[in-house]
């Protein structure tokens, strides 16, 4: 009984921490790449940028609910895969191009926060955390019963 409660508590804390990490990464990505201000600039809608921000927040909320509540939408297989694959490819390509522009974010941030001496340690910590999290996901979560 206690071990089940401890395991569930650990999974809940780990899930919350993962969600916090992913949410923070998304917010940082939106801020670093200036997605909302650039979109408002391209649309000539500076005064309506709150609509863009609201759309991002409600989009994230909607798709989180759709995932958690396992909403299903039945569409024809092949045309849907072609359209979704095309948009996924465009998104990944544009995101990759945008990220190559801002690859120097970590050194600039380290310099501003005066962590330049610890930059190598910071990168190692990020790599070790990513590898550990991936291994935990592959070796533990994959085999847990739902």
């Amino acid at each position: 009984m206690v071990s089940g409660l401890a395991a569930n508590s650990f999974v809940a804390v780990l899930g919350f921490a993962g969600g916090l990490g992913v949410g923070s990464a998304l917010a940082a990505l939106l801020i670093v790449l200036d997605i909302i201000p650039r979109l408002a600039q391209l649309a000539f809608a500076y005064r309506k940028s709150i609509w863009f921000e609201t759309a991002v927040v409600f989009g994230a909320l909607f798709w989180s609910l759709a995932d958690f509540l396992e909403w299903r939408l039945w569409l024809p297989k092949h045309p849907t895969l072609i359209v979704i694959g095309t948009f996924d490819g465009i998104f990944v390509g544009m995101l990759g191009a945008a990220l190559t522009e801002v690859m120097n974010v970590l050194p600039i941030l380290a310099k501003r926060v005066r962590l330049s001496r610890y930059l190598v340690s910071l990168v190692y910590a990020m790599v070790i955390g990513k590898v550990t999290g991936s291994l935990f996901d592959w070796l533990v979560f994959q085999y847990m019963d739902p």
Side-chain angles (χ1 to χ4, degrees):
M1 178 74 173
V2 175
S3 65
L5 180 62
N8 287 339
S9 298
F10 175 71
V11 170
V13 168
L14 192 64
F16 180 74
L20 197 61
V22 169
S24 300
L26 176 66
L29 184 70
L30 291 174
I31 291 168
V32 166
L33 295 180
D34 284 339
I35 301 232
I36 303 297
R38 285 186 187 182
L39 185 60
Q41 180 183 12
L42 290 173
F44 301 106
Y46 295 110
R47 295 177 189 250
K48 296 183 180 176
S49 64
I50 189 74
W51 287 97
F52 298 119
E53 296 166 1
T54 305
V56 169
V57 169
F58 279 113
L61 181 64
F62 175 83
W63 289 111
S64 295
L65 286 173
D67 185 34
F68 285 136
L69 300 176
E70 297 181 9
W71 293 344
R72 298 287 181 244
L73 182 62
W74 303 106
L75 298 171
K77 186 176 183 178
H78 295 291
T80 304
L81 287 177
I82 291 170
V83 171
I84 290 174
T86 301
F87 282 116
D88 281 351
I90 291 170
F91 174 76
V92 169
M94 292 178 73
L95 185 63
L99 287 175
T100 56
E101 283 185 31
V102 294
M103 283 300 289
N104 59 352
V105 169
L106 194 58
I108 291 172
L109 181 65
K111 188 182 288 186
R112 288 189 182 164
V113 186
R114 296 189 179 131
L115 291 175
S116 297
R117 296 184 323 185
Y118 308 108
L119 187 59
V120 174
S121 300
L122 180 63
V123 171
Y124 276 131
M126 290 169 56
V127 168
I128 290 170
K130 184 70 173 175
V131 169
T132 304
S134 296
L135 287 173
F136 190 80
D137 183 44
W138 292 335
L139 299 175
V140 176
F141 279 153
Q142 182 177 11
Y143 299 109
M144 291 180 73
D145 291 330

